[in-house]
Amino acid sequence: MAESRSYIGRKSRISGKQFEDWISMSCNYYWEAGVAWIEKTPEPVKYLKPYERSRDRREFVACFEKMAQPDFKGALCDGSMIVFEAKHTEKDRISQDVVSEEQKKEFERYEKLNAHCYVIVSLRMTDFYRVPWDVWKKMKSRYGHKYMSAQELEEFRLKQKGTNILFLEGVELHDYQ
């Protein structure tokens, strides 16, 4: 029996949230190791009105004010900046168009300032990759199509330590002496 689109969408959103949670735990791992301070970028939300009130929680009707920025931003121990987007898929390839136009503009701005810019990819919550922004934006010319297969992602594979995704392993630090 085929899974419904709504079920697949819900499953993908749950996995995407879990992926971001794992990245956040990895950010804490790097903070405790003295390597980096990286935070989840808050979504730009405008609160419209209270929805429901109860003693222990408040709910609101809200909407997104603008397209999202990249998911994570921070600083590395050498003083350089890092910016990355987290993208999860249940498929065996990731499409270039999962990064929004607003996110592309943000990446271009940060890249001009020599920030480390990446798209961190999860395939099925089992395989993780760190794709440099410069590679991501040139998919068509590099691979002949606007997606990356698991085979094409392989050179960007990340290691794990428990649930920590070691996304900073191999990132070259800048020399500011």
Side-chain angles (χ1 to χ4, degrees):
M1 176 190 243
E3 295 176 344
S4 73
R5 289 178 65 121
S6 64
Y7 173 77
I8 292 169
R10 186 170 52 250
K11 182 179 171 185
S12 185
R13 281 189 299 278
I14 290 168
S15 294
K17 172 74 171 99
Q18 180 184 15
F19 178 45
E20 286 187 357
D21 289 346
W22 284 9
I23 290 175
S24 291
M25 286 188 293
S26 301
C27 291
N28 289 335
Y29 167 81
Y30 284 120
W31 169 247
E32 290 172 4
V35 175
W37 173 246
I38 303 168
E39 295 182 285
K40 173 85 172 88
T41 305
E43 298 291 340
V45 176
K46 179 179 181 180
Y47 296 97
L48 302 175
K49 65 180 181 177
Y51 176 68
E52 183 178 311
R53 293 182 183 168
S54 69
R55 285 185 171 188
D56 55 346
R57 144 177 151 184
R58 293 184 67 188
E59 295 178 353
F60 294 88
V61 175
C63 66
F64 291 107
E65 285 190 306
K66 62 179 183 174
M67 294 299 287
Q69 300 174 39
D71 289 326
F72 292 86
K73 296 177 186 170
L76 303 181
C77 61
D78 65 351
S80 63
M81 184 162 198
I82 186 165
V83 178
F84 59 90
E85 176 67 13
K87 291 297 181 187
H88 167 77
T89 183
E90 293 294 326
K91 300 176 184 176
D92 63 349
R93 68 183 195 184
I94 189 84
S95 178
Q96 186 182 44
D97 65 6
V98 298
V99 174
S100 73
E101 287 302 316
E102 182 64 29
Q103 290 167 331
K104 289 177 189 177
K105 289 176 188 173
E106 291 288 309
F107 275 123
E108 293 300 318
R109 289 179 185 123
Y110 283 104
E111 189 177 53
K112 284 181 182 177
L113 297 171
N114 294 318
H116 299 274
C117 300
Y118 303 101
V119 179
I120 308 292
V121 176
S122 159
L123 298 185
R124 297 173 304 276
M125 290 301 290
T126 57
D127 300 293
F128 305 100
Y129 310 90
R130 181 187 64 229
V131 181
W133 176 245
D134 191 53
V135 171
W136 187 273
K137 68 182 179 181
K138 295 177 183 174
M139 268 188 214
K140 178 73 172 162
S141 62
R142 185 172 174 148
Y143 303 109
H145 41 256
K146 292 184 174 185
Y147 65 87
M148 291 177 75
S149 67
Q151 183 179 359
E152 291 161 339
L153 285 164
E154 194 57 37
E155 70 177 296
F156 307 108
R157 179 176 286 281
L158 294 171
K159 295 178 182 175
Q160 284 181 263
K161 186 176 184 179
T163 56
N164 289 319
I165 300 167
L166 303 179
F167 60 83
L168 290 181
E169 303 305 306
V171 170
E172 284 190 40
L173 299 177
H174 297 233
D175 184 11
Y176 289 111
Q177 295 180 1

mmCIF file of all heavy atoms in Angstrom, residues 43-61:
data_model
loop_
_atom_site.group_PDB
_atom_site.id
_atom_site.type_symbol
_atom_site.label_atom_id
_atom_site.label_comp_id
_atom_site.label_asym_id
_atom_site.label_seq_id
_atom_site.Cartn_x
_atom_site.Cartn_y
_atom_site.Cartn_z
ATOM 1 N N GLU A 43 13.438 31.830 13.179
ATOM 2 C CA GLU A 43 12.598 32.135 12.025
ATOM 3 C C GLU A 43 11.968 33.515 12.228
ATOM 4 O O GLU A 43 11.520 33.837 13.330
ATOM 5 C CB GLU A 43 11.492 31.098 11.870
ATOM 6 C CG GLU A 43 11.996 29.688 11.613
ATOM 7 C CD GLU A 43 12.632 29.515 10.243
ATOM 8 O OE1 GLU A 43 12.377 30.341 9.340
ATOM 9 O OE2 GLU A 43 13.399 28.560 10.084
ATOM 10 N N PRO A 44 11.912 34.345 11.178
ATOM 11 C CA PRO A 44 11.303 35.675 11.308
ATOM 12 C C PRO A 44 9.774 35.567 11.320
ATOM 13 O O PRO A 44 9.138 35.411 10.281
ATOM 14 C CB PRO A 44 11.812 36.414 10.066
ATOM 15 C CG PRO A 44 12.088 35.328 9.075
ATOM 16 C CD PRO A 44 12.485 34.113 9.866
ATOM 17 N N VAL A 45 9.196 35.609 12.521
ATOM 18 C CA VAL A 45 7.764 35.415 12.694
ATOM 19 C C VAL A 45 7.119 36.694 13.220
ATOM 20 O O VAL A 45 7.666 37.356 14.103
ATOM 21 C CB VAL A 45 7.495 34.255 13.687
ATOM 22 C CG1 VAL A 45 6.019 34.092 13.977
ATOM 23 C CG2 VAL A 45 8.069 32.959 13.146
ATOM 24 N N LYS A 46 5.952 37.011 12.699
ATOM 25 C CA LYS A 46 5.172 38.149 13.180
ATOM 26 C C LYS A 46 3.948 37.590 13.901
ATOM 27 O O LYS A 46 3.157 36.841 13.326
ATOM 28 C CB LYS A 46 4.725 39.033 12.017
ATOM 29 C CG LYS A 46 3.890 40.210 12.446
ATOM 30 C CD LYS A 46 3.510 41.059 11.254
ATOM 31 C CE LYS A 46 2.703 42.253 11.703
ATOM 32 N NZ LYS A 46 2.325 43.084 10.549
ATOM 33 N N TYR A 47 3.797 37.951 15.177
ATOM 34 C CA TYR A 47 2.654 37.504 15.958
ATOM 35 C C TYR A 47 1.468 38.400 15.649
ATOM 36 O O TYR A 47 1.567 39.631 15.715
ATOM 37 C CB TYR A 47 2.985 37.530 17.452
ATOM 38 C CG TYR A 47 4.084 36.551 17.785
ATOM 39 C CD1 TYR A 47 5.410 36.955 17.883
ATOM 40 C CD2 TYR A 47 3.795 35.208 17.958
ATOM 41 C CE1 TYR A 47 6.423 36.052 18.148
ATOM 42 C CE2 TYR A 47 4.801 34.287 18.225
ATOM 43 C CZ TYR A 47 6.101 34.719 18.322
ATOM 44 O OH TYR A 47 7.102 33.816 18.580
ATOM 45 N N LEU A 48 0.332 37.804 15.306
ATOM 46 C CA LEU A 48 -0.844 38.567 14.905
ATOM 47 C C LEU A 48 -1.819 38.792 16.052
ATOM 48 O O LEU A 48 -2.305 39.900 16.241
ATOM 49 C CB LEU A 48 -1.549 37.874 13.740
ATOM 50 C CG LEU A 48 -0.678 37.655 12.498
ATOM 51 C CD1 LEU A 48 -1.442 36.847 11.459
ATOM 52 C CD2 LEU A 48 -0.221 38.980 11.922
ATOM 53 N N LYS A 49 -2.126 37.719 16.792
ATOM 54 C CA LYS A 49 -3.049 37.858 17.924
ATOM 55 C C LYS A 49 -2.983 36.603 18.787
ATOM 56 O O LYS A 49 -2.566 35.549 18.322
ATOM 57 C CB LYS A 49 -4.479 38.081 17.433
ATOM 58 C CG LYS A 49 -5.053 36.909 16.669
ATOM 59 C CD LYS A 49 -6.468 37.191 16.211
ATOM 60 C CE LYS A 49 -7.009 35.962 15.462
ATOM 61 N NZ LYS A 49 -8.374 36.143 15.057
ATOM 62 N N PRO A 50 -3.420 36.721 20.027
ATOM 63 C CA PRO A 50 -3.473 35.519 20.872
ATOM 64 C C PRO A 50 -4.493 34.540 20.301
ATOM 65 O O PRO A 50 -5.521 34.938 19.767
ATOM 66 C CB PRO A 50 -3.936 36.042 22.229
ATOM 67 C CG PRO A 50 -3.681 37.503 22.189
ATOM 68 C CD PRO A 50 -3.780 37.922 20.757
ATOM 69 N N TYR A 51 -4.186 33.264 20.389
ATOM 70 C CA TYR A 51 -5.077 32.234 19.879
ATOM 71 C C TYR A 51 -5.849 31.584 21.018
ATOM 72 O O TYR A 51 -7.041 31.478 20.996
ATOM 73 C CB TYR A 51 -4.281 31.197 19.110
ATOM 74 C CG TYR A 51 -5.092 30.034 18.617
ATOM 75 C CD1 TYR A 51 -6.041 30.214 17.615
ATOM 76 C CD2 TYR A 51 -4.921 28.766 19.141
ATOM 77 C CE1 TYR A 51 -6.796 29.150 17.158
ATOM 78 C CE2 TYR A 51 -5.665 27.700 18.688
ATOM 79 C CZ TYR A 51 -6.599 27.894 17.702
ATOM 80 O OH TYR A 51 -7.342 26.845 17.251
ATOM 81 N N GLU A 52 -5.122 31.175 22.013
ATOM 82 C CA GLU A 52 -5.739 30.488 23.133
ATOM 83 C C GLU A 52 -4.877 30.729 24.368
ATOM 84 O O GLU A 52 -3.663 30.719 24.283
ATOM 85 C CB GLU A 52 -5.808 28.992 22.828
ATOM 86 C CG GLU A 52 -6.495 28.188 23.884
ATOM 87 C CD GLU A 52 -6.557 26.718 23.487
ATOM 88 O OE1 GLU A 52 -6.961 26.405 22.361
ATOM 89 O OE2 GLU A 52 -6.168 25.903 24.331
ATOM 90 N N ARG A 53 -5.516 30.929 25.462
ATOM 91 C CA ARG A 53 -4.757 31.140 26.697
ATOM 92 C C ARG A 53 -5.106 30.065 27.705
ATOM 93 O O ARG A 53 -6.256 29.672 27.844
ATOM 94 C CB ARG A 53 -5.076 32.507 27.296
ATOM 95 C CG ARG A 53 -4.580 33.627 26.435
ATOM 96 C CD ARG A 53 -4.867 34.949 27.059
ATOM 97 N NE ARG A 53 -4.408 35.982 26.119
ATOM 98 C CZ ARG A 53 -4.706 37.237 26.228
ATOM 99 N NH1 ARG A 53 -5.449 37.663 27.210
ATOM 100 N NH2 ARG A 53 -4.279 38.103 25.350
ATOM 101 N N SER A 54 -4.114 29.624 28.383
ATOM 102 C CA SER A 54 -4.299 28.706 29.494
ATOM 103 C C SER A 54 -3.260 29.057 30.530
ATOM 104 O O SER A 54 -2.402 29.896 30.302
ATOM 105 C CB SER A 54 -4.154 27.254 29.024
ATOM 106 O OG SER A 54 -2.824 27.001 28.668
ATOM 107 N N ARG A 55 -3.331 28.434 31.670
ATOM 108 C CA ARG A 55 -2.396 28.771 32.755
ATOM 109 C C ARG A 55 -0.942 28.499 32.397
ATOM 110 O O ARG A 55 -0.062 29.259 32.741
ATOM 111 C CB ARG A 55 -2.736 27.963 34.000
ATOM 112 C CG ARG A 55 -3.933 28.455 34.709
ATOM 113 C CD ARG A 55 -4.090 27.658 35.956
ATOM 114 N NE ARG A 55 -5.135 28.272 36.751
ATOM 115 C CZ ARG A 55 -5.426 27.914 37.950
ATOM 116 N NH1 ARG A 55 -4.754 26.933 38.516
ATOM 117 N NH2 ARG A 55 -6.374 28.505 38.604
ATOM 118 N N ASP A 56 -0.691 27.395 31.742
ATOM 119 C CA ASP A 56 0.695 26.974 31.551
ATOM 120 C C ASP A 56 1.250 27.249 30.154
ATOM 121 O O ASP A 56 2.402 26.973 29.894
ATOM 122 C CB ASP A 56 0.849 25.485 31.880
ATOM 123 C CG ASP A 56 -0.108 24.615 31.088
ATOM 124 O OD1 ASP A 56 -1.054 25.152 30.498
ATOM 125 O OD2 ASP A 56 0.094 23.390 31.081
ATOM 126 N N ARG A 57 0.454 27.822 29.271
ATOM 127 C CA ARG A 57 0.994 28.048 27.935
ATOM 128 C C ARG A 57 0.146 29.067 27.185
ATOM 129 O O ARG A 57 -1.047 29.156 27.380
ATOM 130 C CB ARG A 57 1.076 26.696 27.262
ATOM 131 C CG ARG A 57 0.803 26.584 25.883
ATOM 132 C CD ARG A 57 1.036 25.150 25.463
ATOM 133 N NE ARG A 57 0.151 24.900 24.354
ATOM 134 C CZ ARG A 57 0.005 23.770 23.762
ATOM 135 N NH1 ARG A 57 0.677 22.738 24.186
ATOM 136 N NH2 ARG A 57 -0.780 23.631 22.748
ATOM 137 N N ARG A 58 0.808 29.827 26.332
ATOM 138 C CA ARG A 58 0.110 30.793 25.479
ATOM 139 C C ARG A 58 0.347 30.422 24.030
ATOM 140 O O ARG A 58 1.466 30.097 23.651
ATOM 141 C CB ARG A 58 0.610 32.202 25.737
ATOM 142 C CG ARG A 58 0.229 32.690 27.136
ATOM 143 C CD ARG A 58 0.632 34.099 27.349
ATOM 144 N NE ARG A 58 -0.157 34.958 26.476
ATOM 145 C CZ ARG A 58 0.057 36.252 26.320
ATOM 146 N NH1 ARG A 58 1.020 36.833 26.971
ATOM 147 N NH2 ARG A 58 -0.689 36.978 25.525
ATOM 148 N N GLU A 59 -0.682 30.513 23.225
ATOM 149 C CA GLU A 59 -0.575 30.237 21.805
ATOM 150 C C GLU A 59 -0.971 31.481 21.036
ATOM 151 O O GLU A 59 -1.784 32.284 21.502
ATOM 152 C CB GLU A 59 -1.459 29.056 21.417
ATOM 153 C CG GLU A 59 -1.017 27.761 22.067
ATOM 154 C CD GLU A 59 -1.915 26.593 21.728
ATOM 155 O OE1 GLU A 59 -2.970 26.812 21.090
ATOM 156 O OE2 GLU A 59 -1.568 25.471 22.098
ATOM 157 N N PHE A 60 -0.399 31.629 19.836
ATOM 158 C CA PHE A 60 -0.639 32.797 19.013
ATOM 159 C C PHE A 60 -0.937 32.399 17.584
ATOM 160 O O PHE A 60 -0.481 31.363 17.116
ATOM 161 C CB PHE A 60 0.606 33.705 18.988
ATOM 162 C CG PHE A 60 0.930 34.323 20.304
ATOM 163 C CD1 PHE A 60 1.747 33.667 21.219
ATOM 164 C CD2 PHE A 60 0.440 35.572 20.628
ATOM 165 C CE1 PHE A 60 2.051 34.238 22.440
ATOM 166 C CE2 PHE A 60 0.738 36.152 21.842
ATOM 167 C CZ PHE A 60 1.548 35.486 22.752
ATOM 168 N N VAL A 61 -1.660 33.270 16.904
ATOM 169 C CA VAL A 61 -1.776 33.185 15.456
ATOM 170 C C VAL A 61 -0.609 34.003 14.931
ATOM 171 O O VAL A 61 -0.384 35.136 15.355
ATOM 172 C CB VAL A 61 -3.117 33.771 14.965
ATOM 173 C CG1 VAL A 61 -3.166 33.795 13.449
ATOM 174 C CG2 VAL A 61 -4.289 32.982 15.547
#
